[in-house]
Amino acid sequence: QVQLVESGGGVVQEGGSLRLSCEPSGGAGRRYAMAWFRQAPGKEREFVAHIRANGGHTYYDDSVKGRFTISRDNSKSTLILQMSSLKPEDTAVYYCAASDYIILSAIRMTQSYKSWGRGTQVTVSK
């Protein structure tokens, strides 16, 4: 399994922006299907965005579409989540996840991913 380390969380005002990064061990990120999930206090972990291995097609939850962008830094194979127009309801711990292969119909399911980071806190204040 690949080791994942997230960074970039913090506190931001409503309407602001943050950029999260996820560094996979060994620089092998491009070989994996990767995603961001988030978990707010008292709620289940939920899907945010997914990027396919190699080809790089992206998919988003409707709640973040048009505001968040998932991408890879090709030079480092780092996974990026650029978040803008942040809302208080975006407050959560954000997790990076990866797996060798995931069928498209299963990308929103936490059990589809073999590797997880420890998470980074994002807090959006009013």
Side-chain angles (χ1 to χ4, degrees):
Q1 293 181 354
V2 62
Q3 304 297 315
L4 304 172
V5 179
E6 303 98 336
S7 61
V11 180
V12 64
Q13 286 191 330
E14 184 174 8
S17 299
L18 276 176
R19 177 183 167 102
L20 305 184
S21 298
C22 174
E23 187 73 36
S25 58
R30 279 192 295 272
R31 290 167 29 193
Y32 297 95
M34 300 185 75
W36 290 97
F37 284 74
R38 65 187 180 186
Q39 188 166 17
K43 295 187 177 181
E44 293 187 352
R45 194 169 297 188
E46 63 178 13
F47 171 78
V48 174
H50 175 96
I51 188 166
R52 306 300 274 166
N54 300 320
H57 289 283
T58 58
Y59 303 87
Y60 297 91
D61 185 76
D62 286 346
S63 64
V64 305
K65 200 173 293 182
R67 301 188 297 120
F68 291 11
T69 302
I70 187 171
S71 63
R72 299 181 199 268
D73 177 334
N74 287 327
S75 64
K76 298 182 179 180
S77 297
T78 301
L79 184 69
I80 304 294
L81 185 68
Q82 181 66 49
M83 306 185 293
S84 60
S85 301
L86 283 161
K87 305 174 182 180
E89 50 264 42
D90 294 319
T91 295
V93 177
Y94 282 70
Y95 296 90
C96 173
S99 193
D100 292 326
Y101 178 75
I102 303 172
I103 61 174
L104 194 55
S105 60
I107 64 172
R108 296 173 178 269
M109 302 167 64
T110 57
Q111 56 265 41
S112 298
Y113 298 85
K114 296 179 181 178
S115 300
W116 290 86
R118 292 186 175 184
T120 184
Q121 176 71 45
V122 171
T123 302
V124 183
S125 61
K126 293 184 179 179

